[in-house]
Amino acid sequence: MAFPFSAVVGHPDLRLALLLSAVDPGIGGVLVRGEKGTAKSTIVRALATLLPDVAVRAGDRFGVDVDAGEESPDGPFPADAPVERRPARLVELPVGASEDRLIGSLDLQEVLAHGRGSVQPGLLALAHRGVLYVDEVNLLHDHLVDLLLDAAASGRSHVERDGVSFTHPARFLLVGTMNPEEGELRPQLLDRFGLTVRVEASRVVAERTEVVRRRLAHDADPAAFATRFAADEDALRAQIDDARARLGSVALTDRELVRISAVCAFVEVDGMRADVVVARTAVAHAAWRGVDAVDVDDVRAAARLALPHRRRRDPFDEPHLSDEELEKALEVAEQALQDLEDDQDDGPDDDGPGGPGGPDGDPEDGPDDGSGPDAGSAAPPEAGASEAGGPESGGPGSDGPGPEGAPSPPGRPAPPSGTGSGSDGADSLPRDDGDDAPLSPVGAPQQVRLKSRRFEVRGVGEGVPGRRSRARGRRGRTVRAVAEAPESGPAPHLPATVIASVRGGRRGRPEPDDLRHAHREGREGNLVLFCVDVSGSMAARKRMSAVTGAVDALLRDAYQRRDKVGVVTFRGSGASVALPPTSSVHTAHARLADLHTGGRTPLAEGLRAARRVLRAERVRDPRRRGLLVLLTDGRATGGGPKPLDAALDAARGLAREAGPGRGGAAMSTVVVDCEAGHVRLGLAGRIAGAAAGAIVTLDELTGENVAAVARTAVGA
């Protein structure tokens, strides 16, 4: 028995977002971001019990709306077909679901039994007029997320595959949950969710106590616990029904439309989807409150839920809109409204004395003074950020990124200054044993932002789905049908199987010899392990700035290609794993921003630590091929009596580790030579040669050069 929605303690924004989406599913769904153990799944499952029952024709597997006259692929139905009512469904989409299971496919059983084509509904059809819940949506394969969000936006699912073609209604309340520590959604997909809420466990002792008390009471006697909150549940159902009935009559005036547009322009969201979502959410909020017109309170509530995740200008930005920033945006919008009303009162042709063109007016004032619906976009960038400043907002009182390494909010960027790896006074005489110096945050405004393009591992692998190297597996596009099952596992190719049966004279009743399998090719993700020298010899300001810029570019590339990343650093007397391999590139970005430089250079220890990480990850995930990116000047000054010899020996161990993998090299190495100055020793090149890897200078780590050196490293 589901936990009652009204029994949930805390999370007011999440409960409001879910209820507003229940009132108007056209808002576009809710994305719930938060740490583990915050009752995300419990709240979503509880919501489904509040939705009204739906009327469907008996035997209609697609559950189309009878009253709306929708057509079902199972139809046509006779006019006197019985109609029955059933509860709205909660359909869960597992992370490992196939495309066939999501959108539907050919009904093979019907084909084999009766020799006629029939369609099998997918999860999108089952969720029609209900809730489609995707736990860990950030781990769902990209092409499935695309299909899911396209259906959610259009309200229909179109299927063109396996020799069948059909379409059916697919209107559902989409709810996705995710833990940002396990990886982020692409910004394009993040924008497709109507609302987003971040949930965190309460730090208030009384609230945490009540959460535990209610959880234990529910587990001990679910029926009694449900009875205890039955009246509250009925009241919520009635309020949802009333809000749905009121939705079409709620007035959204031009004044509030201008306010919405001004707020969206002020916070500098991309595109127009934000304006539409805020408008729909504000109307739903007014209907939920039981009023007949949208006002500023409805706009405020809608903007707080619909805008934070649309402010991301960068993959490493944290979706955030502080209360201070929102209130400032509303103030600017109010001033824009006042200016617009003043212009309308003056009239467009007011050229008399004291008017814009009159003798008493300002000769430079024209009829268009920058006020109006778009005034928010003309506000100075400083006004767009929180006036509160401070570390949390990344404002003037902040020394850098806010919590979790998030860059300062958009609207206040500092122009990057050109930096390179050339020498200066400090760089020509590096010191290995100086004091700790803070490492410039990755992607800090003073750095040059380098652009890294895709590089691929040689051959065709069999790793997890991603967007980097070629791979064969159960996902991807079908390139041909084969008689033998591929190594990645059997994937029956239905049309080819039926055709083989017909050609064999069995009329759609295949024998085992007729079975054909789909040979599919897609892309795989790799493990990109950064091994970063943060010793004193790397501490020169300009050089470290260039190094962090290069790492930033490679991290962005890893984010876009859906790779796992890890970070190993070495300095002083040893090496440490700053970040074990993870899918959260955002976390890697934050960890690199917190590093410090200084001390001697135990290069051999760094290489050995990297080798241990790669070996452990291969045991955990043998199909994922790796790329080691070593950033160093090659000056080994720690780790034994002969530190350079020890480093060369450790590099030879990496070469042995890079044995053949499934479809290509198991791993490859790229050494980024960070040495600078007029006199260069070329030590990084010797390390690259011993590791059987490629060598590239820091100056070359831009654009096409990144792709070229990486392809060389893997022998592509």
Side-chain angles (χ1 to χ4, degrees):
M1 183 174 293
F3 193 90
F5 190 89
S6 56
V8 173
V9 179
H11 302 321
D13 284 348
L14 174 56
R15 287 184 288 158
L16 177 62
L18 292 173
L19 290 170
L20 295 182
S21 294
V23 172
D24 182 8
I27 288 174
V30 181
L31 176 64
V32 188
R33 301 165 50 88
E35 57 195 22
K36 49 189 175 293
T38 49
K40 300 186 295 293
S41 301
T42 298
I43 300 175
V44 174
R45 293 188 176 98
L47 176 69
T49 63
L50 299 178
L51 300 181
D53 293 345
V54 297
V56 298
R57 294 184 181 89
D60 182 9
R61 298 174 298 167
F62 291 83
V64 301
D65 191 344
V66 177
D67 299 330
E70 296 175 343
E71 296 183 0
S72 169
D74 283 343
F77 291 91
D80 58 348
V83 176
E84 57 187 23
R85 299 191 68 82
R86 60 166 175 79
R89 291 173 175 152
L90 171 67
V91 178
E92 298 191 37
L93 175 61
V95 171
S98 66
E99 183 177 338
D100 291 344
R101 186 68 185 113
L102 178 64
I103 64 175
S105 63
L106 184 68
D107 190 339
L108 183 59
Q109 183 175 0
E110 184 71 15
V111 172
L112 298 181
H114 304 288
R116 60 174 182 266
S118 179
V119 295
Q120 181 70 31
L123 295 178
L124 294 180
L126 299 179
H128 181 45
R129 296 193 287 168
V131 178
L132 182 60
Y133 173 46
V134 188
D135 193 14
E136 305 295 351
V137 65
N138 52 324
L139 303 182
L140 196 64
H141 196 264
D142 286 346
H143 81 283
L144 294 183
V145 178
D146 290 332
L147 292 171
L148 181 65
L149 294 178
D150 284 343
S154 65
R156 299 194 68 83
S157 175
H158 302 274
V159 182
E160 299 283 348
R161 58 181 300 118
D162 295 338
V164 297
S165 173
F166 66 97
T167 181
H168 63 84
R171 298 189 311 277
F172 45 81
L173 197 169
L174 174 63
V175 183
T177 60
M178 60 174 284
N179 183 351
E181 294 178 356
E182 298 174 344
E184 288 282 354
L185 277 175
R186 302 201 317 266
Q188 300 92 327
L189 300 181
L190 191 63
D191 180 63
R192 299 293 293 273
F193 279 93
L195 310 178
T196 185
V197 180
R198 182 172 180 85
V199 296
E200 296 177 346
S202 173
R203 300 298 184 259
V204 180
V205 174
E207 191 169 305
R208 294 174 71 95
T209 302
E210 184 61 21
V211 169
V212 176
R213 183 181 293 116
R214 294 190 181 188
R215 182 76 255 182
L216 294 177
H218 175 268
D219 293 345
D221 192 346
F225 190 80
T227 302
R228 173 183 166 188
F229 290 92
D232 294 335
E233 294 288 280
D234 291 340
L236 279 177
R237 291 189 188 93
Q239 191 172 357
I240 291 175
D241 290 342
D242 179 69
R244 284 189 169 190
R246 185 187 296 273
L247 190 64
S249 61
V250 173
L252 178 61
T253 64
D254 286 345
R255 177 181 177 83
E256 297 308 318
L257 272 177
V258 171
R259 189 192 309 277
I260 290 170
S261 296
V263 169
C264 293
F266 182 83
V267 300
E268 297 182 333
V269 296
D270 291 331
M272 295 298 299
R273 184 176 285 116
D275 302 61
V276 176
V277 172
V278 172
R280 299 195 69 144
T281 306
V283 171
H285 191 266
W288 176 254
R289 294 195 299 124
V291 298
D292 296 327
V294 172
D295 63 18
V296 65
D297 292 333
D298 301 309
V299 175
R300 178 184 288 106
R304 189 174 68 251
L305 299 174
L307 296 185
H309 61 300
R310 293 185 166 88
R311 299 191 66 201
R312 293 182 67 185
R313 294 294 187 276
D314 187 271
F316 304 133
D317 287 350
E318 183 74 12
H320 179 68
L321 178 64
S322 69
D323 291 339
E324 292 82 4
E325 291 172 313
L326 178 56
E327 291 305 319
K328 183 64 178 179
L330 289 170
E331 290 177 10
V332 172
E334 185 65 34
Q335 184 60 48
L337 285 168
Q338 188 62 47
D339 293 344
L340 182 62
E341 290 174 353
D342 291 344
D343 287 348
Q344 291 173 345
D345 290 341
D346 293 341
D349 299 320
D350 188 2
D351 289 332
D360 297 331
D362 187 339
E364 293 186 6
D365 286 345
D368 183 5
D369 61 0
S371 60
D374 295 327
S377 61
E382 288 77 2
S386 170
E387 285 190 334
E392 287 191 0
S393 65
S398 172
D399 290 333
E404 299 182 19
S408 300
R412 189 168 40 217
S417 61
T419 58
S421 58
S423 64
D424 59 8
D427 200 22
S428 60
L429 295 172
R431 293 183 295 119
D432 268 355
D433 49 0
D435 296 334
D436 285 1
L439 179 65
S440 299
V442 176
Q446 71 270 21
Q447 298 170 4
V448 174
R449 177 171 293 179
L450 304 178
K451 182 179 179 182
S452 174
R453 299 187 182 179
R454 185 178 71 206
F455 48 88
E456 299 183 12
V457 177
R458 180 183 179 183
V460 182
E462 296 179 0
V464 297
R467 304 186 67 192
R468 183 174 299 282
S469 305
R470 291 177 59 199
R472 52 176 172 263
R474 297 183 60 84
R475 294 183 175 89
R477 62 187 183 91
T478 300
V479 295
R480 62 181 179 273
V482 295
E484 296 182 359
E487 294 182 8
S488 56
H493 192 287
L494 303 184
T497 299
V498 173
I499 291 173
S501 172
V502 172
R503 288 177 176 173
R506 286 175 282 278
R507 297 188 177 183
R509 301 178 185 275
E511 297 292 337
D513 291 343
D514 297 325
L515 186 61
R516 298 293 184 270
H517 299 274
H519 182 94
R520 294 174 176 169
E521 285 194 7
R523 294 277 176 181
E524 67 174 2
N526 301 119
L527 168 63
V528 180
L529 181 64
F530 294 94
C531 189
V532 186
D533 181 353
V534 290
S535 63
S537 66
M538 294 283 290
R541 181 180 177 185
K542 286 187 177 181
R543 193 192 316 175
M544 209 62 234
S545 178
V547 168
T548 53
V551 174
D552 182 60
L554 292 169
L555 276 174
R556 292 170 193 277
D557 184 67
Y559 168 84
Q560 294 169 353
R561 307 304 169 192
R562 323 305 284 175
D563 293 319
K564 291 182 73 174
V565 295
V567 179
V568 172
T569 63
F570 55 95
R571 69 170 185 146
S573 59
S576 63
V577 181
L579 179 69
T582 176
S583 297
S584 178
V585 180
H586 184 280
T587 303
H589 183 269
R591 294 287 178 87
L592 284 167
D594 292 336
L595 297 179
H596 288 72
T597 60
R600 304 184 73 81
T601 311
L603 180 55
E605 288 297 321
L607 296 178
R608 293 189 191 106
R611 183 180 179 184
R612 287 193 295 269
V613 172
L614 290 167
R615 182 179 295 172
E617 187 65 18
R618 187 178 304 169
V619 172
R620 183 181 297 109
D621 188 358
R623 293 179 179 272
R624 188 183 291 271
R625 298 182 287 169
L627 179 76
L628 174 64
V629 181
L630 172 64
L631 295 102
T632 183
D633 57 7
R635 300 182 183 184
T637 58
K642 295 183 178 180
L644 181 58
D645 291 342
L648 291 172
D649 185 65
R652 296 185 190 99
L654 284 172
R656 292 190 294 270
E657 198 74 22
R662 305 175 70 93
M667 64 152 288
S668 303
T669 301
V670 174
V671 178
V672 181
D673 185 0
C674 303
E675 190 175 27
H678 296 292
V679 178
R680 304 197 182 196
L681 304 179
L683 299 177
R686 295 183 61 184
I687 299 295
I695 179 70
V696 58
T697 65
L698 197 59
D699 294 334
E700 295 172 335
L701 196 59
T702 56
E704 289 290 349
N705 293 322
V706 173
V709 70
R711 280 194 294 265
T712 301
V714 298

